[in-house]
Amino acid sequence: MKKILYLCGTSKSEKEYCSSFVHNRLLQLSKRKEYTSRNICVQPIPSRALSFALKKIKKVEWQVDWDEYGKFDNIVYEYIKANVNLYQWYNFTKIGEIYYKAILGKIKKENYDLIHAHWAYPMGFVAYKISVEKKIPYVVSCHGVDIDILPFRNKKIKSKIIMVLENAKKVIFVSDYLLKKAVSFGYSGKNAIIIPNGYDSDTFRKLDKNFLREKYSGEFDFKNKIVGFVGNLKCVKRVDKFLEMFSRIAEKYPRVEFLIVGDGELRDWLENQLKDFKVRFTGSVSHKKVAEYMNLMDIMILPSRNEGFGCVVLEARACGVPVVASDVGGIPEALGNGGILVNSDVENFEKTFATEVLKLLISNPEVIEERNIIKKYTWDEIVRREAELYYNSLKNLG
């Protein structure tokens, strides 16, 4: 059995073990007898100044009382603490070294066959440094911000990311868009492979609408149509433009309600902005609840300014819900023929986006069963491909 050092990322203020797309991979990997993994997250311990800044600027209460280990769905995570000050967090060029030193102290006596890091920086940088120290190969998965944003913060971060990518055994990009973006700032692409994020096919599927309408009869008037959004309530999702879009939709189609599933720094502001509309805010809910809410939607919207891939689009397609989305990042790859793309560069984007939503509300198109089409995106299939990549990376050593 081969042993993998699995670098999951950063656990911050949210009470989450790690990103769901990392956790879902580990659930599937744990079913495979040929690999075992030690799953490490970094738990930054903020200085007083950093804690104050995050609370003041981003309304974030940083959680610092995590146990050393956590077990979720029988997956064990190890949380390694790293002290971080205000300058280091916002400058970010030193974070990789800080995380590396914190993790190396915990694993120095352990032997591994392979490292898999999520995000090119800082965890990919940690993988690179451990690879040099312990003479073991690594693969790195790139998800979005590590390719779309961080390389353009400053030249030092960009050079570190390029170094990480070029020295990896394989670089996994969740979309072709991200691969092309990486090549545009200097990465050769010689060791790249595209393996997208997936979706939970047991949870996200068509459900009995009559049962759901009875269950949620106290929350919605089902004589109306429901336009929904699922995601973080942040500017990158363009939720700051919901007022303009919802106004245009409701003006032309009064029999509409809006359903916003998710939470984030803009929630309070957004609730005040939309107080005159029929809007239901759910906050953060379980994946099972997300699937139920999706099945209640007539249309899901995703007007993001940027998106590494767009797993939520796959989930909506699996639930049989048409999607209207911006044509940014990896969204076109995730959407396929499951809805309408709106050119993000078009003049007066919000007006055009609302118009496309209205077209679907009025035409009420029949939704084509998509499960066979998106079968290649199930987590079982995604991890099968990644396990094959592990095998080839180890087989070709030396």
Side-chain angles (χ1 to χ4, degrees), residues 324-328 340-346 349 352-354 356:
V324 178
S326 52
D327 67 345
V328 298
I340 296 174
L341 286 171
V342 179
N343 186 343
S344 57
D345 296 324
V346 70
F349 172 86
T352 303
F353 194 92
E356 295 300 332

Side-chain angles (χ1 to χ4, degrees), residues 6-10 17-19 22 26 39-41 77 116-119 123:
Y6 212 90
L7 303 180
C8 305
T10 301
Y17 32 88
C18 71
S19 297
V22 175
L26 286 170
N39 312 312
I40 290 178
C41 298
Y77 292 92
H116 187 166
H118 285 273
W119 290 279
M123 298 307 267

Side-chain angles (χ1 to χ4, degrees), residues 169-201:
K169 201 70 180 175
K170 277 290 182 181
V171 182
I172 301 169
F173 293 90
V174 297
S175 65
D176 183 57
Y177 161 79
L178 286 178
L179 168 56
K180 290 176 179 175
K181 190 81 171 185
V183 170
S184 76
F185 63 72
Y187 166 56
S188 69
K190 64 184 180 182
N191 54 349
I193 186 171
I194 298 169
I195 302 178
N197 284 325
Y199 78 101
D200 180 354
S201 55

Side-chain angles (χ1 to χ4, degrees), residues 72 109 124 142 158 238 278 387:
F72 307 90
K109 296 179 181 179
C142 301
K158 181 171 76 172
R238 214 188 297 256
K278 296 176 183 176

Side-chain angles (χ1 to χ4, degrees), residues 112-123:
Y112 301 93
D113 298 290
L114 184 72
I115 307 168
H116 187 166
H118 285 273
W119 290 279
Y121 191 86
M123 298 307 267

Side-chain angles (χ1 to χ4, degrees), residues 18 36 38 42 140 148-149 155 160-161 185 268 275 363:
C18 71
T36 184
R38 181 180 180 183
V42 172
V140 59
D148 239 352
I149 297 175
K155 292 180 180 179
K160 287 182 177 181
I161 289 175
F185 63 72
D268 292 343
K275 63 182 182 295
S363 64

